[in-house]
Amino acid sequence: MLDASDFGTVFKGKMKMENEHHKPQHTKIRRLVPYAVSHEGILWEDDNRLLTMVCLYVLGLIGVSILILLLCHFLKGSGLSQLGQKDYIDIGNVALYNEVYTNRIIDIIHTSEREYQSTKTSPVSTRPNHGRLCDTAEIKGPLNVNASHSHDDIKLVDVIEENVDIQYGGKWKPSSCYARYRVAIIIPYRDRLHHLVVLLAHLLPILRRQQLDFRVFVVEQFGNATFNKGRIMNAAFKEALKIFDFQCVVFHDVDLIPEDDRNMYSCPWQPRHMSVAIDEMNYRLKYDILVGGVLNLRVEHYQELNGYSNMYWGWGAEDDDMAYRILHVGFKITRPPSTIARYKMIKHQKRRPTSWHTRSKLLHTAVKRYKMDGLNSVSYTLMFVHDERLFTHIMVDVGKP
């Protein structure tokens, strides 16, 4: 039971709660108090904050617009805005398609010419004083290519006679002008001498008309063990760097003959897949990430990609592994128009590809392996390097699976 004192305490507590319940809630109406009074009337606190936010937003938009304009002006002046352009143009007019691509090549040549003239008197210039930058005035365009030559149609001695100015080791550079690019052509090879002769007969004149400083390397795998294309190309790249200071490298299948000399073997700004349209495939690209056949890369890009994988024994999939590396690193696979990047394939008996299960298992780990599997881990024994009349012959032993 409650006594009188307890009843008084409860009553006082109840009264206190009721007083608090009826107390004005100043905190709820605090923001309705006028913030300032001007000649236009009362300016409320919420209105002032909203006005401030709008002003800051407008000023921010103006600042961003100014920065974008300045950036565009800088890119336009420095020529960097062209780096994002595609090497192909998605339009339906084939004639315009080819004309735009050809004009782009001419623009690059003229830009380089102006840059050379502006630095010609500079004491730090490494270009020879007696020469000018080469142009490509001798380019012919579409060529009449016969890839079905018999062994008697084209002989090595005939190809040598037609290319008497090419030095031993397969090296050549223009004598009357300064070549814009130094290019290494690496051809993986095994038991296909006739294919090699046919390729050299067509490719060497094209490289000369494009006025390149080039050297041709033919890399052969020693012995009869299972072929490893990735290993011998990595080995050839490392050995080629020891004897030729090239800026980019073209890995070229021995059975693909170029049909158009506007398909430039010069150094690209991004990896360039050159064999876009092959007669054997009805001049269609089989799939988007295809980079097999003829692939052109800058030296620094190939090194950043860590070269080809060394783990693909037998025929197939090492090129798809390279495509995964290119895309993972952040490069783009660029291609000339399919109306220009055309090749004929020399008829031959196809090798049986490695089982798809083995290839797919390796491809699924391509991105995880690329930093540890490639140029920095290739194992080979150099058998010899010999300067032949039209190419440098590299023989390497890469072991067995």
Side-chain angles (χ1 to χ4, degrees), residues 203-258:
L203 181 60
L204 293 176
I206 290 176
L207 299 176
R208 290 163 57 196
R209 286 199 296 273
Q210 292 184 3
Q211 299 287 285
L212 300 172
D213 182 352
F214 68 87
R215 185 163 185 159
V216 178
F217 296 88
V218 176
V219 56
E220 184 175 2
Q221 180 173 328
F222 177 78
N224 297 316
T226 305
F227 196 58
N228 191 315
K229 184 180 176 183
R231 286 199 182 194
I232 67 172
M233 289 192 293
N234 284 337
F237 178 85
K238 297 182 76 169
E239 295 301 322
L241 276 178
K242 297 176 183 178
I243 57 179
F244 181 42
D245 181 23
F246 54 94
Q247 298 166 303
C248 57
V249 56
V250 179
F251 295 98
H252 205 301
D253 281 2
V254 71
D255 57 356
L256 290 181
I257 312 301

Tab-separated table of all heavy atoms in Angstrom, residues 203-258:
chain	number	residue	atom	x	y	z
A	203	LEU	N	56.414	-10.562	-100.172
A	203	LEU	CA	56.498	-9.650	-99.035
A	203	LEU	C	57.656	-8.657	-99.157
A	203	LEU	O	57.490	-7.466	-98.826
A	203	LEU	CB	56.646	-10.457	-97.745
A	203	LEU	CG	56.735	-9.655	-96.440
A	203	LEU	CD1	55.490	-8.809	-96.237
A	203	LEU	CD2	56.952	-10.584	-95.245
A	204	LEU	N	58.820	-9.091	-99.616
A	204	LEU	CA	59.982	-8.204	-99.667
A	204	LEU	C	59.741	-6.961	-100.527
A	204	LEU	O	60.072	-5.845	-100.104
A	204	LEU	CB	61.209	-8.973	-100.156
A	204	LEU	CG	61.734	-10.061	-99.198
A	204	LEU	CD1	62.890	-10.821	-99.825
A	204	LEU	CD2	62.153	-9.450	-97.869
A	205	PRO	N	59.160	-7.080	-101.725
A	205	PRO	CA	58.877	-5.860	-102.511
A	205	PRO	C	57.902	-4.918	-101.808
A	205	PRO	O	58.029	-3.692	-101.917
A	205	PRO	CB	58.283	-6.418	-103.812
A	205	PRO	CG	58.804	-7.809	-103.914
A	205	PRO	CD	58.869	-8.302	-102.508
A	206	ILE	N	56.934	-5.466	-101.064
A	206	ILE	CA	55.976	-4.617	-100.347
A	206	ILE	C	56.681	-3.819	-99.261
A	206	ILE	O	56.466	-2.609	-99.111
A	206	ILE	CB	54.853	-5.487	-99.743
A	206	ILE	CG1	53.963	-6.040	-100.849
A	206	ILE	CG2	54.025	-4.688	-98.741
A	206	ILE	CD1	52.877	-6.983	-100.361
A	207	LEU	N	57.535	-4.480	-98.488
A	207	LEU	CA	58.265	-3.789	-97.420
A	207	LEU	C	59.156	-2.693	-97.983
A	207	LEU	O	59.311	-1.625	-97.381
A	207	LEU	CB	59.091	-4.797	-96.626
A	207	LEU	CG	58.305	-5.908	-95.905
A	207	LEU	CD1	59.262	-6.898	-95.241
A	207	LEU	CD2	57.357	-5.317	-94.870
A	208	ARG	N	59.729	-2.940	-99.128
A	208	ARG	CA	60.589	-1.923	-99.757
A	208	ARG	C	59.760	-0.750	-100.266
A	208	ARG	O	60.167	0.413	-100.123
A	208	ARG	CB	61.383	-2.556	-100.889
A	208	ARG	CG	62.455	-3.528	-100.398
A	208	ARG	CD	62.950	-4.445	-101.501
A	208	ARG	NE	63.458	-3.718	-102.629
A	208	ARG	CZ	63.663	-4.258	-103.832
A	208	ARG	NH1	63.374	-5.532	-104.053
A	208	ARG	NH2	64.157	-3.534	-104.816
A	209	ARG	N	58.603	-1.022	-100.862
A	209	ARG	CA	57.754	0.076	-101.348
A	209	ARG	C	57.225	0.912	-100.185
A	209	ARG	O	56.979	2.104	-100.336
A	209	ARG	CB	56.583	-0.475	-102.174
A	209	ARG	CG	56.987	-0.968	-103.550
A	209	ARG	CD	55.786	-1.070	-104.477
A	209	ARG	NE	54.815	-2.045	-104.035
A	209	ARG	CZ	54.852	-3.350	-104.330
A	209	ARG	NH1	55.858	-3.837	-105.053
A	209	ARG	NH2	53.912	-4.167	-103.905
A	210	GLN	N	57.046	0.308	-99.031
A	210	GLN	CA	56.598	1.049	-97.854
A	210	GLN	C	57.749	1.792	-97.171
A	210	GLN	O	57.532	2.458	-96.150
A	210	GLN	CB	55.923	0.089	-96.864
A	210	GLN	CG	54.601	-0.461	-97.380
A	210	GLN	CD	53.885	-1.336	-96.365
A	210	GLN	OE1	54.327	-1.514	-95.236
A	210	GLN	NE2	52.754	-1.898	-96.766
A	211	GLN	N	58.952	1.670	-97.738
A	211	GLN	CA	60.127	2.448	-97.297
A	211	GLN	C	60.442	2.210	-95.821
A	211	GLN	O	60.687	3.159	-95.054
A	211	GLN	CB	59.901	3.926	-97.563
A	211	GLN	CG	59.694	4.285	-99.031
A	211	GLN	CD	60.981	4.196	-99.848
A	211	GLN	OE1	61.850	5.048	-99.763
A	211	GLN	NE2	61.105	3.145	-100.634
A	212	LEU	N	60.470	0.950	-95.423
A	212	LEU	CA	60.750	0.593	-94.035
A	212	LEU	C	62.206	0.173	-93.869
A	212	LEU	O	62.818	-0.362	-94.791
A	212	LEU	CB	59.843	-0.562	-93.595
A	212	LEU	CG	58.339	-0.305	-93.667
A	212	LEU	CD1	57.572	-1.591	-93.401
A	212	LEU	CD2	57.931	0.775	-92.680
A	213	ASP	N	62.732	0.420	-92.704
A	213	ASP	CA	64.028	-0.131	-92.301
A	213	ASP	C	63.709	-1.466	-91.622
A	213	ASP	O	63.268	-1.488	-90.482
A	213	ASP	CB	64.717	0.832	-91.334
A	213	ASP	CG	66.097	0.336	-90.899
A	213	ASP	OD1	66.458	-0.825	-91.224
A	213	ASP	OD2	66.805	1.097	-90.219
A	214	PHE	N	63.912	-2.576	-92.347
A	214	PHE	CA	63.427	-3.855	-91.838
A	214	PHE	C	64.507	-4.930	-91.884
A	214	PHE	O	65.525	-4.818	-92.579
A	214	PHE	CB	62.200	-4.320	-92.638
A	214	PHE	CG	62.491	-4.694	-94.076
A	214	PHE	CD1	62.896	-5.986	-94.410
A	214	PHE	CD2	62.342	-3.765	-95.098
A	214	PHE	CE1	63.155	-6.344	-95.736
A	214	PHE	CE2	62.599	-4.097	-96.417
A	214	PHE	CZ	63.010	-5.392	-96.731
A	215	ARG	N	64.236	-5.995	-91.121
A	215	ARG	CA	65.053	-7.195	-91.150
A	215	ARG	C	64.129	-8.390	-90.947
A	215	ARG	O	63.269	-8.374	-90.065
A	215	ARG	CB	66.135	-7.151	-90.077
A	215	ARG	CG	67.092	-8.339	-90.140
A	215	ARG	CD	68.358	-8.053	-89.352
A	215	ARG	NE	69.337	-9.138	-89.490
A	215	ARG	CZ	70.635	-9.010	-89.264
A	215	ARG	NH1	71.130	-7.829	-88.889
A	215	ARG	NH2	71.457	-10.025	-89.415
A	216	VAL	N	64.331	-9.424	-91.756
A	216	VAL	CA	63.489	-10.609	-91.720
A	216	VAL	C	64.193	-11.704	-90.924
A	216	VAL	O	65.352	-12.044	-91.207
A	216	VAL	CB	63.158	-11.107	-93.144
A	216	VAL	CG1	62.308	-12.376	-93.076
A	216	VAL	CG2	62.438	-10.024	-93.938
A	217	PHE	N	63.477	-12.259	-89.932
A	217	PHE	CA	64.005	-13.351	-89.114
A	217	PHE	C	63.116	-14.583	-89.326
A	217	PHE	O	61.888	-14.498	-89.173
A	217	PHE	CB	63.999	-12.974	-87.627
A	217	PHE	CG	64.894	-11.816	-87.283
A	217	PHE	CD1	64.417	-10.502	-87.357
A	217	PHE	CD2	66.203	-12.026	-86.882
A	217	PHE	CE1	65.239	-9.433	-87.034
A	217	PHE	CE2	67.033	-10.961	-86.566
A	217	PHE	CZ	66.551	-9.663	-86.642
A	218	VAL	N	63.731	-15.685	-89.676
A	218	VAL	CA	63.024	-16.959	-89.790
A	218	VAL	C	63.485	-17.826	-88.625
A	218	VAL	O	64.657	-18.183	-88.532
A	218	VAL	CB	63.318	-17.660	-91.133
A	218	VAL	CG1	62.650	-19.039	-91.167
A	218	VAL	CG2	62.831	-16.799	-92.296
A	219	VAL	N	62.554	-18.159	-87.715
A	219	VAL	CA	62.907	-18.925	-86.531
A	219	VAL	C	62.381	-20.349	-86.693
A	219	VAL	O	61.217	-20.569	-87.024
A	219	VAL	CB	62.357	-18.279	-85.240
A	219	VAL	CG1	60.848	-18.077	-85.286
A	219	VAL	CG2	62.764	-19.092	-84.021
A	220	GLU	N	63.257	-21.314	-86.488
A	220	GLU	CA	62.931	-22.720	-86.680
A	220	GLU	C	63.147	-23.490	-85.382
A	220	GLU	O	64.125	-23.252	-84.658
A	220	GLU	CB	63.806	-23.311	-87.793
A	220	GLU	CG	63.486	-24.746	-88.138
A	220	GLU	CD	64.293	-25.259	-89.323
A	220	GLU	OE1	65.131	-24.486	-89.849
A	220	GLU	OE2	64.086	-26.421	-89.720
A	221	GLN	N	62.238	-24.406	-85.104
A	221	GLN	CA	62.357	-25.249	-83.919
A	221	GLN	C	63.221	-26.464	-84.245
A	221	GLN	O	62.960	-27.188	-85.199
A	221	GLN	CB	60.980	-25.690	-83.426
A	221	GLN	CG	61.021	-26.570	-82.175
A	221	GLN	CD	59.640	-26.845	-81.621
A	221	GLN	OE1	58.741	-25.999	-81.733
A	221	GLN	NE2	59.447	-28.010	-81.023
A	222	PHE	N	64.228	-26.691	-83.439
A	222	PHE	CA	65.159	-27.802	-83.662
A	222	PHE	C	64.483	-29.139	-83.336
A	222	PHE	O	63.734	-29.250	-82.368
A	222	PHE	CB	66.400	-27.616	-82.786
A	222	PHE	CG	67.394	-28.728	-82.887
A	222	PHE	CD1	68.249	-28.820	-83.965
A	222	PHE	CD2	67.466	-29.692	-81.884
A	222	PHE	CE1	69.172	-29.849	-84.056
A	222	PHE	CE2	68.380	-30.719	-81.963
A	222	PHE	CZ	69.236	-30.803	-83.055
A	223	GLY	N	64.793	-30.161	-84.145
A	223	GLY	CA	64.284	-31.508	-83.886
A	223	GLY	C	62.886	-31.717	-84.420
A	223	GLY	O	62.328	-30.878	-85.136
A	224	ASN	N	62.309	-32.846	-84.068
A	224	ASN	CA	60.986	-33.243	-84.554
A	224	ASN	C	59.945	-33.335	-83.439
A	224	ASN	O	58.899	-33.961	-83.620
A	224	ASN	CB	61.079	-34.594	-85.266
A	224	ASN	CG	61.959	-34.525	-86.500
A	224	ASN	OD1	61.864	-33.584	-87.290
A	224	ASN	ND2	62.835	-35.512	-86.660
A	225	ALA	N	60.243	-32.751	-82.295
A	225	ALA	CA	59.295	-32.795	-81.181
A	225	ALA	C	58.075	-31.930	-81.500
A	225	ALA	O	58.047	-31.182	-82.482
A	225	ALA	CB	59.973	-32.315	-79.901
A	226	THR	N	57.051	-32.030	-80.660
A	226	THR	CA	55.822	-31.252	-80.857
A	226	THR	C	56.138	-29.758	-80.961
A	226	THR	O	56.938	-29.222	-80.197
A	226	THR	CB	54.851	-31.498	-79.689
A	226	THR	OG1	54.632	-32.912	-79.562
A	226	THR	CG2	53.524	-30.810	-79.935
A	227	PHE	N	55.508	-29.125	-81.931
A	227	PHE	CA	55.770	-27.715	-82.232
A	227	PHE	C	55.237	-26.829	-81.107
A	227	PHE	O	54.152	-27.055	-80.572
A	227	PHE	CB	55.089	-27.353	-83.552
A	227	PHE	CG	55.568	-26.070	-84.172
A	227	PHE	CD1	56.892	-25.874	-84.490
A	227	PHE	CD2	54.662	-25.054	-84.456
A	227	PHE	CE1	57.322	-24.696	-85.090
A	227	PHE	CE2	55.077	-23.877	-85.054
A	227	PHE	CZ	56.413	-23.705	-85.367
A	228	ASN	N	56.026	-25.813	-80.737
A	228	ASN	CA	55.591	-24.820	-79.754
A	228	ASN	C	55.850	-23.434	-80.334
A	228	ASN	O	56.938	-22.866	-80.208
A	228	ASN	CB	56.326	-24.995	-78.416
A	228	ASN	CG	55.707	-24.157	-77.310
A	228	ASN	OD1	55.387	-22.990	-77.491
A	228	ASN	ND2	55.539	-24.764	-76.133
A	229	LYS	N	54.835	-22.917	-80.986
A	229	LYS	CA	54.956	-21.643	-81.701
A	229	LYS	C	55.248	-20.478	-80.767
A	229	LYS	O	56.051	-19.593	-81.075
A	229	LYS	CB	53.670	-21.386	-82.489
A	229	LYS	CG	53.677	-20.151	-83.362
A	229	LYS	CD	52.348	-20.024	-84.087
A	229	LYS	CE	52.273	-18.732	-84.895
A	229	LYS	NZ	50.930	-18.589	-85.536
A	230	GLY	N	54.603	-20.465	-79.606
A	230	GLY	CA	54.804	-19.372	-78.658
A	230	GLY	C	56.240	-19.296	-78.174
A	230	GLY	O	56.821	-18.207	-78.103
A	231	ARG	N	56.834	-20.434	-77.847
A	231	ARG	CA	58.220	-20.443	-77.354
A	231	ARG	C	59.211	-19.963	-78.403
A	231	ARG	O	60.103	-19.170	-78.092
A	231	ARG	CB	58.594	-21.855	-76.892
A	231	ARG	CG	57.967	-22.254	-75.579
A	231	ARG	CD	58.698	-23.428	-74.952
A	231	ARG	NE	58.046	-23.829	-73.705
A	231	ARG	CZ	58.591	-24.626	-72.801
A	231	ARG	NH1	59.805	-25.119	-73.001
A	231	ARG	NH2	57.942	-24.951	-71.702
A	232	ILE	N	59.054	-20.438	-79.628
A	232	ILE	CA	60.057	-20.051	-80.636
A	232	ILE	C	59.904	-18.580	-81.023
A	232	ILE	O	60.895	-17.916	-81.363
A	232	ILE	CB	60.018	-20.971	-81.872
A	232	ILE	CG1	58.724	-20.805	-82.664
A	232	ILE	CG2	60.217	-22.424	-81.477
A	232	ILE	CD1	58.748	-21.559	-83.991
A	233	MET	N	58.692	-18.035	-80.934
A	233	MET	CA	58.531	-16.607	-81.230
A	233	MET	C	59.115	-15.761	-80.105
A	233	MET	O	59.722	-14.711	-80.370
A	233	MET	CB	57.054	-16.283	-81.474
A	233	MET	CG	56.530	-16.840	-82.786
A	233	MET	SD	54.914	-16.201	-83.301
A	233	MET	CE	53.852	-16.895	-82.041
A	234	ASN	N	58.938	-16.181	-78.865
A	234	ASN	CA	59.574	-15.467	-77.745
A	234	ASN	C	61.094	-15.520	-77.874
A	234	ASN	O	61.787	-14.515	-77.656
A	234	ASN	CB	59.147	-16.089	-76.414
A	234	ASN	CG	57.741	-15.696	-76.009
A	234	ASN	OD1	57.214	-14.676	-76.437
A	234	ASN	ND2	57.120	-16.518	-75.177
A	235	ALA	N	61.627	-16.695	-78.212
A	235	ALA	CA	63.073	-16.845	-78.364
A	235	ALA	C	63.595	-15.974	-79.501
A	235	ALA	O	64.634	-15.315	-79.371
A	235	ALA	CB	63.416	-18.316	-78.609
A	236	ALA	N	62.869	-15.953	-80.620
A	236	ALA	CA	63.292	-15.140	-81.765
A	236	ALA	C	63.288	-13.660	-81.420
A	236	ALA	O	64.181	-12.906	-81.831
A	236	ALA	CB	62.376	-15.417	-82.951
A	237	PHE	N	62.280	-13.224	-80.682
A	237	PHE	CA	62.203	-11.815	-80.274
A	237	PHE	C	63.430	-11.434	-79.445
A	237	PHE	O	64.057	-10.385	-79.680
A	237	PHE	CB	60.920	-11.583	-79.468
A	237	PHE	CG	60.761	-10.184	-78.948
A	237	PHE	CD1	60.217	-9.192	-79.734
A	237	PHE	CD2	61.148	-9.861	-77.652
A	237	PHE	CE1	60.067	-7.890	-79.256
A	237	PHE	CE2	61.002	-8.579	-77.158
A	237	PHE	CZ	60.454	-7.584	-77.964
A	238	LYS	N	63.796	-12.267	-78.484
A	238	LYS	CA	64.937	-11.968	-77.618
A	238	LYS	C	66.247	-11.972	-78.403
A	238	LYS	O	67.102	-11.107	-78.183
A	238	LYS	CB	64.987	-12.974	-76.473
A	238	LYS	CG	63.777	-12.919	-75.546
A	238	LYS	CD	63.881	-13.891	-74.388
A	238	LYS	CE	64.851	-13.373	-73.340
A	238	LYS	NZ	64.786	-14.168	-72.093
A	239	GLU	N	66.399	-12.917	-79.324
A	239	GLU	CA	67.629	-12.976	-80.110
A	239	GLU	C	67.695	-11.846	-81.131
A	239	GLU	O	68.769	-11.304	-81.393
A	239	GLU	CB	67.737	-14.334	-80.814
A	239	GLU	CG	67.872	-15.517	-79.866
A	239	GLU	CD	69.102	-15.408	-78.979
A	239	GLU	OE1	70.157	-14.936	-79.459
A	239	GLU	OE2	69.011	-15.784	-77.784
A	240	ALA	N	66.564	-11.479	-81.705
A	240	ALA	CA	66.534	-10.399	-82.687
A	240	ALA	C	66.934	-9.066	-82.068
A	240	ALA	O	67.615	-8.248	-82.697
A	240	ALA	CB	65.144	-10.306	-83.316
A	241	LEU	N	66.523	-8.838	-80.822
A	241	LEU	CA	66.882	-7.589	-80.143
A	241	LEU	C	68.388	-7.443	-79.958
A	241	LEU	O	68.899	-6.324	-79.838
A	241	LEU	CB	66.196	-7.512	-78.775
A	241	LEU	CG	64.762	-6.981	-78.741
A	241	LEU	CD1	64.221	-7.012	-77.319
A	241	LEU	CD2	64.676	-5.565	-79.299
A	242	LYS	N	69.096	-8.559	-79.949
A	242	LYS	CA	70.548	-8.506	-79.753
A	242	LYS	C	71.273	-8.000	-80.991
A	242	LYS	O	72.401	-7.502	-80.884
A	242	LYS	CB	71.074	-9.895	-79.379
A	242	LYS	CG	70.529	-10.444	-78.067
A	242	LYS	CD	71.026	-11.862	-77.825
A	242	LYS	CE	70.447	-12.466	-76.551
A	242	LYS	NZ	70.896	-13.870	-76.344
A	243	ILE	N	70.637	-8.116	-82.161
A	243	ILE	CA	71.347	-7.775	-83.406
A	243	ILE	C	70.654	-6.691	-84.232
A	243	ILE	O	71.197	-6.229	-85.223
A	243	ILE	CB	71.553	-9.030	-84.277
A	243	ILE	CG1	70.216	-9.707	-84.589
A	243	ILE	CG2	72.489	-10.011	-83.600
A	243	ILE	CD1	70.354	-10.943	-85.459
A	244	PHE	N	69.441	-6.272	-83.820
A	244	PHE	CA	68.723	-5.266	-84.607
A	244	PHE	C	67.903	-4.402	-83.658
A	244	PHE	O	67.111	-4.909	-82.861
A	244	PHE	CB	67.821	-5.943	-85.646
A	244	PHE	CG	67.051	-4.999	-86.534
A	244	PHE	CD1	67.643	-3.856	-87.064
A	244	PHE	CD2	65.729	-5.261	-86.856
A	244	PHE	CE1	66.951	-2.998	-87.887
A	244	PHE	CE2	65.007	-4.407	-87.682
A	244	PHE	CZ	65.627	-3.274	-88.203
A	245	ASP	N	68.077	-3.102	-83.745
A	245	ASP	CA	67.376	-2.147	-82.875
A	245	ASP	C	66.052	-1.769	-83.529
A	245	ASP	O	65.919	-0.713	-84.149
A	245	ASP	CB	68.255	-0.915	-82.655
A	245	ASP	CG	67.581	0.111	-81.737
A	245	ASP	OD1	66.697	-0.297	-80.947
A	245	ASP	OD2	67.935	1.304	-81.815
A	246	PHE	N	65.056	-2.629	-83.408
A	246	PHE	CA	63.768	-2.392	-84.063
A	246	PHE	C	62.777	-1.769	-83.089
A	246	PHE	O	62.885	-1.909	-81.868
A	246	PHE	CB	63.206	-3.685	-84.663
A	246	PHE	CG	63.095	-4.844	-83.714
A	246	PHE	CD1	61.918	-5.110	-83.026
A	246	PHE	CD2	64.176	-5.701	-83.517
A	246	PHE	CE1	61.817	-6.174	-82.163
A	246	PHE	CE2	64.079	-6.777	-82.653
A	246	PHE	CZ	62.904	-7.019	-81.977
A	247	GLN	N	61.786	-1.081	-83.650
A	247	GLN	CA	60.756	-0.400	-82.867
A	247	GLN	C	59.484	-1.227	-82.724
A	247	GLN	O	58.763	-1.079	-81.749
A	247	GLN	CB	60.410	0.944	-83.527
A	247	GLN	CG	61.577	1.915	-83.592
A	247	GLN	CD	61.285	3.058	-84.534
A	247	GLN	OE1	60.983	2.848	-85.715
A	247	GLN	NE2	61.344	4.277	-84.024
A	248	CYS	N	59.211	-2.062	-83.712
A	248	CYS	CA	58.038	-2.926	-83.635
A	248	CYS	C	58.337	-4.254	-84.311
A	248	CYS	O	59.304	-4.370	-85.083
A	248	CYS	CB	56.804	-2.263	-84.250
A	248	CYS	SG	56.999	-1.766	-85.966
A	249	VAL	N	57.515	-5.239	-84.005
A	249	VAL	CA	57.739	-6.593	-84.500
A	249	VAL	C	56.447	-7.111	-85.122
A	249	VAL	O	55.360	-6.914	-84.597
A	249	VAL	CB	58.212	-7.524	-83.357
A	249	VAL	CG1	57.232	-7.525	-82.199
A	249	VAL	CG2	58.437	-8.947	-83.857
A	250	VAL	N	56.592	-7.760	-86.279
A	250	VAL	CA	55.461	-8.372	-86.969
A	250	VAL	C	55.661	-9.882	-86.955
A	250	VAL	O	56.630	-10.388	-87.522
A	250	VAL	CB	55.337	-7.875	-88.424
A	250	VAL	CG1	54.156	-8.556	-89.113
A	250	VAL	CG2	55.185	-6.365	-88.471
A	251	PHE	N	54.756	-10.589	-86.285
A	251	PHE	CA	54.773	-12.052	-86.293
A	251	PHE	C	53.920	-12.506	-87.471
A	251	PHE	O	52.719	-12.207	-87.523
A	251	PHE	CB	54.247	-12.600	-84.967
A	251	PHE	CG	55.131	-12.256	-83.799
A	251	PHE	CD1	54.829	-11.183	-82.975
A	251	PHE	CD2	56.272	-12.998	-83.521
A	251	PHE	CE1	55.641	-10.855	-81.901
A	251	PHE	CE2	57.094	-12.677	-82.451
A	251	PHE	CZ	56.776	-11.603	-81.644
A	252	HIS	N	54.544	-13.227	-88.398
A	252	HIS	CA	53.943	-13.468	-89.714
A	252	HIS	C	53.929	-14.958	-90.020
A	252	HIS	O	54.980	-15.587	-90.138
A	252	HIS	CB	54.765	-12.722	-90.776
A	252	HIS	CG	54.005	-12.363	-92.013
A	252	HIS	ND1	53.386	-13.307	-92.815
A	252	HIS	CD2	53.765	-11.158	-92.600
A	252	HIS	CE1	52.809	-12.695	-93.836
A	252	HIS	NE2	53.016	-11.394	-93.717
A	253	ASP	N	52.727	-15.547	-90.169
A	253	ASP	CA	52.628	-16.940	-90.588
A	253	ASP	C	53.227	-17.102	-91.983
A	253	ASP	O	53.035	-16.233	-92.850
A	253	ASP	CB	51.172	-17.403	-90.582
A	253	ASP	CG	50.667	-17.731	-89.187
A	253	ASP	OD1	51.438	-17.564	-88.219
A	253	ASP	OD2	49.500	-18.136	-89.057
A	254	VAL	N	53.889	-18.201	-92.208
A	254	VAL	CA	54.631	-18.404	-93.448
A	254	VAL	C	53.713	-18.660	-94.639
A	254	VAL	O	54.138	-18.524	-95.798
A	254	VAL	CB	55.629	-19.578	-93.274
A	254	VAL	CG1	54.891	-20.905	-93.207
A	254	VAL	CG2	56.688	-19.589	-94.361
A	255	ASP	N	52.460	-19.006	-94.388
A	255	ASP	CA	51.557	-19.372	-95.482
A	255	ASP	C	50.572	-18.271	-95.862
A	255	ASP	O	49.639	-18.511	-96.625
A	255	ASP	CB	50.785	-20.648	-95.131
A	255	ASP	CG	49.989	-20.523	-93.836
A	255	ASP	OD1	50.097	-19.475	-93.179
A	255	ASP	OD2	49.276	-21.479	-93.481
A	256	LEU	N	50.751	-17.051	-95.358
A	256	LEU	CA	49.841	-15.953	-95.668
A	256	LEU	C	50.525	-14.912	-96.557
A	256	LEU	O	51.545	-14.328	-96.184
A	256	LEU	CB	49.344	-15.292	-94.381
A	256	LEU	CG	48.390	-16.129	-93.522
A	256	LEU	CD1	47.958	-15.360	-92.288
A	256	LEU	CD2	47.172	-16.582	-94.322
A	257	ILE	N	49.939	-14.663	-97.729
A	257	ILE	CA	50.511	-13.750	-98.721
A	257	ILE	C	49.659	-12.489	-98.795
A	257	ILE	O	48.456	-12.567	-99.087
A	257	ILE	CB	50.570	-14.411	-100.122
A	257	ILE	CG1	51.166	-15.817	-100.034
A	257	ILE	CG2	51.345	-13.541	-101.084
A	257	ILE	CD1	52.554	-15.867	-99.460
A	258	PRO	N	50.230	-11.309	-98.533
A	258	PRO	CA	49.444	-10.064	-98.568
A	258	PRO	C	48.990	-9.724	-99.986
A	258	PRO	O	49.736	-9.892	-100.947
A	258	PRO	CB	50.417	-9.010	-98.023
A	258	PRO	CG	51.782	-9.590	-98.227
A	258	PRO	CD	51.627	-11.066	-98.135
